[in-house]
Amino acid sequence: MNRNQHPGRDGASFGEAELSALRNRVGQGMSPKRLIHTLAVEQMTARLCALYCPEETDLLRAAALLHDITKELKTEEQLSLCRELGVPVAPGDELAPKCFHARTAAALIPRKYSAFDHPVVVAAVRWHTTGHEGMTLTEKLVYLADYIDESRTFPDCVALRNLFWDAHPEDMAPEERLSHLNRVLIASFDMTVRNLVAEGQIISPDTVMARNDLIRQSVQAGDGVQ
Ligand code: DGI
Ligand code: FE
Ligand code: FE
């Protein structure tokens, strides 16, 4: 194993060659549109890693490539995959059907992509849709990259992309750069919650907890609330 490779849970490791093979493999299981998004998330994740944690780049590239592998399954298929993989489903979960794919994709990694079965990869995939209380830096980066990848043209995504990059995080001191990330994440949760309310949708408790937690941290850090 060279220093650019990462040990997986079972002693598996990966580097550039494995990532390239993964790119091909995930591309075979999704529509061209989803693949364009997936590759754009990988690129954006790499840009964010360069700013925040270069040493995690390969792990998070893998997470980006795997984050939407089950996105195109129908709700019925998600539910049967949950049963097959032992993913717990609570009554009412089917009212937030778009949240299933993060859970099923994370659960599939040890089974079908064991070379990438690393806790950082699995957690980033698991929390990429809703976030959760106590998000780690690596979870935040994949969550944000998914929102602001360059292929997204939805006005909120463009606004969030500009909010992040127009502040020139590359010129910020490390602490300020982390506060900036948290502020942009809070703005993203605000957008998500607003859209869900406008559509009359259920809001996942994880979405609410993630937002509250980030606001709490921001106030404690003296950043105030936006
Ligand atoms: O899979 P992507 O489209 O790339 O992005 P994503 O995994 O962030 O999924 C976005 C979708 O998930 C979007 O339609 C809103 C939905 N979503 C996110 N949080 C919640 C949610 N839906 C419900 N019902 N509740 C949530 O808390
Ligand atoms: Fe997704
Ligand atoms: Fe996505």
Side-chain angles (χ1 to χ4, degrees):
M1 197 195 313
N2 69 37
R3 70 181 175 80
N4 291 322
Q5 294 193 306
H6 300 275
R9 227 174 242 153
D10 306 321
S13 68
F14 63 90
E16 212 45 65
E18 289 79 9
L19 283 172
S20 172
L22 180 62
R23 222 167 273 131
N24 289 329
R25 189 173 163 201
V26 300
Q28 282 159 18
M30 57 180 63
S31 66
K33 187 172 161 233
R34 187 58 39 186
L35 179 60
I36 288 169
H37 162 68
T38 296
L39 296 177
V41 175
E42 185 195 4
Q43 292 301 314
M44 184 58 78
T45 298
R47 286 178 67 188
L48 296 177
C49 282
L51 282 180
Y52 288 97
C53 53
E55 66 286 359
E56 309 280 18
T57 305
D58 284 352
L59 285 171
L60 294 194
R61 273 182 184 270
L65 288 169
L66 290 161
H67 85 283
D68 273 346
I69 47 174
T70 58
K71 171 77 184 191
E72 294 177 313
L73 298 180
K74 299 186 190 81
T75 303
E76 272 316 307
E77 294 170 317
Q78 297 286 357
L79 287 167
S80 81
L81 196 53
C82 285
R83 277 191 293 275
E84 190 188 323
L85 298 171
V87 174
V89 177
D93 280 359
E94 69 284 358
L95 294 174
K98 292 193 173 148
C99 295
F100 280 125
H101 75 285
R103 290 199 252 170
T104 50
L108 263 187
I109 294 171
R111 294 274 198 105
K112 277 185 68 179
Y113 299 87
S114 58
F116 302 93
D117 181 16
H118 186 288
V120 166
V121 177
V122 174
V125 172
R126 169 64 187 90
W127 300 113
H128 86 267
T129 302
T130 57
H132 69 126
E133 184 172 15
M135 288 177 85
T136 63
L137 175 61
T138 50
E139 290 164 3
K140 288 176 187 177
L141 297 183
V142 174
Y143 173 91
L144 179 61
D146 184 31
Y147 223 110
I148 65 169
D149 86 72
E150 295 286 353
S151 77
R152 298 248 199 222
T153 53
F154 188 68
D156 275 355
C157 299
V158 176
L160 202 72
R161 187 156 67 227
N162 293 339
L163 185 67
F164 184 78
W165 292 108
D166 288 356
H168 294 284
E170 68 279 6
D171 295 335
M172 293 177 183
E175 207 173 310
E176 189 191 356
R177 194 181 287 168
L178 286 168
S179 301
H180 177 59
L181 177 65
N182 283 352
R183 277 194 300 272
V184 173
L185 248 67
I186 291 167
S188 80
F189 284 111
D190 288 351
M191 288 170 173
T192 296
V193 168
R194 255 186 235 116
N195 290 331
L196 291 169
V197 170
E199 292 165 6
Q201 302 253 13
I202 289 255
I203 301 171
S204 152
D206 287 321
T207 300
V208 175
M209 299 283 272
R211 178 175 177 273
N212 287 357
D213 186 35
L214 288 166
I215 292 174
R216 218 162 17 233
Q217 286 180 38
S218 162
V219 170
Q220 276 165 7
D223 286 350
V225 181
Q226 296 209 340

